[in-house]
């Protein structure tokens, strides 16, 4: 039996103290590193959100521009034939709804700010209703003579793209397309991240179609689709603290806060992400980041192809377009594999088609109008 003498005890004490100090240091470093990873994830989520929202605004603007060039719709508006305009608009939107999973709404407004036709009405009883009291933004569009696409509060929160229509220099009306964050919500959900679009309840009287929506503190939930389990987590959360700290860990979930701004730069609500703690732990262990949010697997590419709404003749197929559109976002470790796939795809194109692709890429990066 070994007897620890006072002399031996004093030899062990500094060793134990050193071991304890080392353990505390390692723990502190791990904790610091984990929060560093959380901050990096927060930055990636913010970047990905801005990218997705811009994509939604551009999609809405493209659709509005297409509607604004429809001759039958324009003639109906010029001749004040609201029945023909309503029937055509409703038929076009129904076609979109049948081929996509997104809720898209559109309306036509006259040059003097009266409602002409609305796609979501059962009939056109509201035609002629004055909108000038509620639509000060139309004055700005008339002033600058440019389309506008931004997050706005109407009867509900969403992305609104407004395109003025002119005939021989004279304003004949406006086309508007509205979207409701479906694409962005679905995008993040694929990666196990729940996105909530929250509207400040100071807009309660304006957003009449959201008055029965679930609430989180002083916010109304604007998503059509959301995870009800994580909604309960948010409802138990101190939203003032989250707004101040921007990132919180609660109930084994990380919650991230991003302010929401309208087209005039005013804060009207917030975007909130909920992400499982184990996902962050995975990034901390492996050293990976969230670059996967900006790149897709082959299966994701096929999802894009299925959702493609408009046939672009520049590409041989929707798959080619989806693949080549990712060229600026592929992580370094996947670039060689991507380049092999891209070379295979491009080998089937003629010289003239490759030139057209390059021109199309440059044009696609600039869309006429104001994206906010």
């Amino acid at each position: 039996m070994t007897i620890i003498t006072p002399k031996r005890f004093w030899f062990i004490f500094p060793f134990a103290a050193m071991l304890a100090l080392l353990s505390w240091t390692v723990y502190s470093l791990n904790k610091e590193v984990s929060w560093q990873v959380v901050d990096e994830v927060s930055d990636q989520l913010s970047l990905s959100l801005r990218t997705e929202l811009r994509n939604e605004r551009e999609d809405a603007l493209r659709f509005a521009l297409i509607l604004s060039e429809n001759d039958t719709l324009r003639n109906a508006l010029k001749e004040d034939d609201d029945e023909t305009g309503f029937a055509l608009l409703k038929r076009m939107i129904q076609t979109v709804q049948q081929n996509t999973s997104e809720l898209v709404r559109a309306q036509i407004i006259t040059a003097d700010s009266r409602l002409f036709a609305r796609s979501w009405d059962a009939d056109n009883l509201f035609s002629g209703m004055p909108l000038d009291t509620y639509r000060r933004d139309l004055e700005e569009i008339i002033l600058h003579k440019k389309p506008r696409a931004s997050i706005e509060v109407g009867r509900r929160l969403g992305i609104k793209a407004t395109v003025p229509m002119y005939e021989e220099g004279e304003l004949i009306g406006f086309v508007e397309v509205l979207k409701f964050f479906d694409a962005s919500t679905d995008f993040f959900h694929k990666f196990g991240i729940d996105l909530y679009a929250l509207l400040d309840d100071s807009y309660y009287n304006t957003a009449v179609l959201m008055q029965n929506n679930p609430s989180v503190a002083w916010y109304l939930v604007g998503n059509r689709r959301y995870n009800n389990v994580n909604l309960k987590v948010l409802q138990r959360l101190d939203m003032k603290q989250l707004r101040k700290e921007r990132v919180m860990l609660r109930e084994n979930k990380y919650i991230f806060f991003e302010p929401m701004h309208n087209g005039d730069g005013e804060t009207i609500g917030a975007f909130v992400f909920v992400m499982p703690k184990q996902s962050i732990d995975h990034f901390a262990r492996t050293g990976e980041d969230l670059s996967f949010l900006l790149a897709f697997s082959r299966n994701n590419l096929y999802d894009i192809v299925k959702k493609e709404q408009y046939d672009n003749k520049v590409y041989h197929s929707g798959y080619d377009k989806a693949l080549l559109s990712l060229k600026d976002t592929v992580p370094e470790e996947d670039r060689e594999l991507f380049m092999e796939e891209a070379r295979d795809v491009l080998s089937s194109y003629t010289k003239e088609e490759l030139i057209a692709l390059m021109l199309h890429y440059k044009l696609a990066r600039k869309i006429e109008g104001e994206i906010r």
Side-chain angles (χ1 to χ4, degrees):
M1 178 177 177
T2 302
I3 300 175
I4 300 178
T5 63
K7 185 176 180 180
R8 288 182 177 180
F9 175 79
W10 287 110
F11 172 77
I12 294 173
F13 179 76
F15 176 78
M18 187 183 301
L19 186 62
L21 179 62
L22 181 62
S23 300
W24 180 84
T25 303
V26 170
Y27 170 77
S28 299
L29 285 174
N30 284 338
K31 189 174 182 181
E32 182 179 344
V33 168
S34 67
W35 276 104
Q36 180 181 349
V37 171
V38 171
D39 287 340
E40 291 173 356
V41 168
S42 179
D43 290 342
Q44 289 279 358
L45 286 174
S46 180
L47 173 62
S48 298
L49 176 64
R50 290 198 298 272
T51 301
E52 284 304 301
L53 291 176
R54 182 175 182 85
N55 289 340
E56 288 215 61
R57 290 194 297 268
E58 289 183 351
D59 284 345
L61 184 54
R62 286 190 191 97
F63 192 20
L65 287 167
I66 290 171
L67 289 175
S68 72
E69 294 300 321
N70 184 281
D71 289 336
T72 306
L73 205 55
R74 294 174 70 89
N75 289 333
L77 183 58
K78 286 187 295 182
E79 295 169 8
D80 200 25
D81 184 359
D82 60 307
E83 290 187 6
T84 298
F86 173 71
L88 176 62
L89 183 64
K90 197 169 184 67
R91 186 165 65 249
M92 294 175 75
I93 296 300
Q94 284 176 343
T95 301
V96 172
Q97 300 293 153
Q98 290 168 0
N99 291 279
T100 70
S101 61
E102 287 190 73
L103 174 64
V104 178
R105 289 177 169 175
Q107 64 182 11
I108 310 297
I109 301 172
T110 64
D112 58 350
S113 302
R114 291 180 296 106
L115 180 65
F116 181 72
R118 229 167 28 188
S119 68
W120 62 90
D121 289 337
D123 46 42
N124 210 26
L125 291 178
F126 294 99
S127 180
M129 181 176 67
L131 302 175
D132 52 337
T133 305
Y134 313 99
R135 299 301 308 274
R136 300 299 181 188
D137 57 309
L138 295 178
E139 296 176 5
E140 183 180 347
I141 294 172
I142 294 172
L143 177 64
H144 297 289
K145 296 184 178 181
K146 288 184 178 180
R148 167 171 162 155
S150 57
I151 298 173
E152 301 293 344
V153 183
R155 288 154 61 88
R156 56 183 296 178
L157 176 68
I159 291 171
K160 181 187 296 179
T162 308
V163 176
M165 293 188 289
Y166 291 89
E167 189 76 27
E168 297 181 355
E170 181 181 351
L171 179 71
I172 61 173
F174 307 86
V175 173
E176 287 192 331
V177 170
L178 298 90
K179 299 182 67 179
F180 304 102
F181 309 111
D182 290 347
S184 296
T185 303
D186 291 345
F187 174 81
F188 286 103
H189 184 70
K190 287 180 182 179
F191 303 103
I193 302 168
D194 289 319
L195 172 66
Y196 296 84
L198 305 179
L199 176 67
D200 193 293
D201 65 6
S202 61
Y203 294 93
Y204 181 87
N205 291 330
T206 302
V208 294
L209 296 181
M210 292 176 56
Q211 291 178 351
N212 292 324
N213 286 17
S215 61
V216 175
W218 60 90
Y219 294 110
L220 298 172
V221 177
N223 305 61
R224 289 197 312 138
R225 300 193 284 266
Y226 53 84
N227 183 323
N228 196 56
V229 173
N230 284 333
L231 176 63
K232 300 297 184 185
V233 174
L234 295 182
Q235 290 172 333
R236 291 190 289 267
L237 201 65
D238 184 340
M239 291 300 291
K240 288 184 178 179
Q241 184 181 356
L242 177 63
R243 184 174 61 180
K244 179 181 178 180
E245 298 183 6
R246 298 300 176 93
V247 182
M248 290 176 66
L249 175 60
R250 291 292 184 275
E251 302 182 33
N252 266 341
K253 302 173 191 290
Y254 279 99
I255 297 100
F256 301 86
F257 182 98
E258 282 286 326
M260 178 192 293
H261 304 287
N262 65 9
D264 296 321
E266 301 166 337
T267 302
I268 60 173
F271 291 103
V272 173
F273 297 95
V274 181
M275 189 173 183
K277 180 178 181 294
Q278 57 263 35
S279 297
I280 304 288
D281 293 341
H282 169 76
F283 298 132
R285 285 195 311 272
T286 62
E288 295 177 3
D289 59 24
L290 277 183
S291 60
F292 69 87
L293 285 178
L294 303 177
F296 296 82
S297 66
R298 180 180 290 267
N299 288 336
N300 296 131
L301 288 171
Y302 283 123
D303 288 340
I304 294 173
V305 173
K306 284 194 300 182
K307 287 193 165 192
E308 194 69 32
Q309 296 180 20
Y310 311 110
D311 181 27
N312 194 319
K313 299 302 182 183
V314 175
Y315 298 89
H316 288 181
S317 70
Y319 176 82
D320 292 1
K321 179 179 180 180
L323 175 70
L324 298 175
S325 70
L326 301 176
K327 74 179 191 66
D328 296 326
T329 62
V330 177
E332 189 63 34
E333 62 270 19
D334 297 329
R335 186 159 291 277
E336 185 176 347
L337 183 62
F338 171 83
M339 292 303 294
E340 289 181 7
E341 181 74 9
R343 276 193 290 269
D344 288 343
V345 166
L346 294 175
S347 64
S348 63
Y349 285 75
T350 66
K351 178 181 177 181
E352 289 75 17
E353 288 174 330
L354 291 174
I355 292 173
L357 281 175
M358 293 174 64
L359 292 173
H360 180 267
Y361 175 72
K362 290 180 179 179
L363 285 172
R365 295 175 67 89
K366 182 181 180 182
I367 293 181
E368 289 298 323
E370 193 169 356
I371 306 291
R372 302 189 182 188

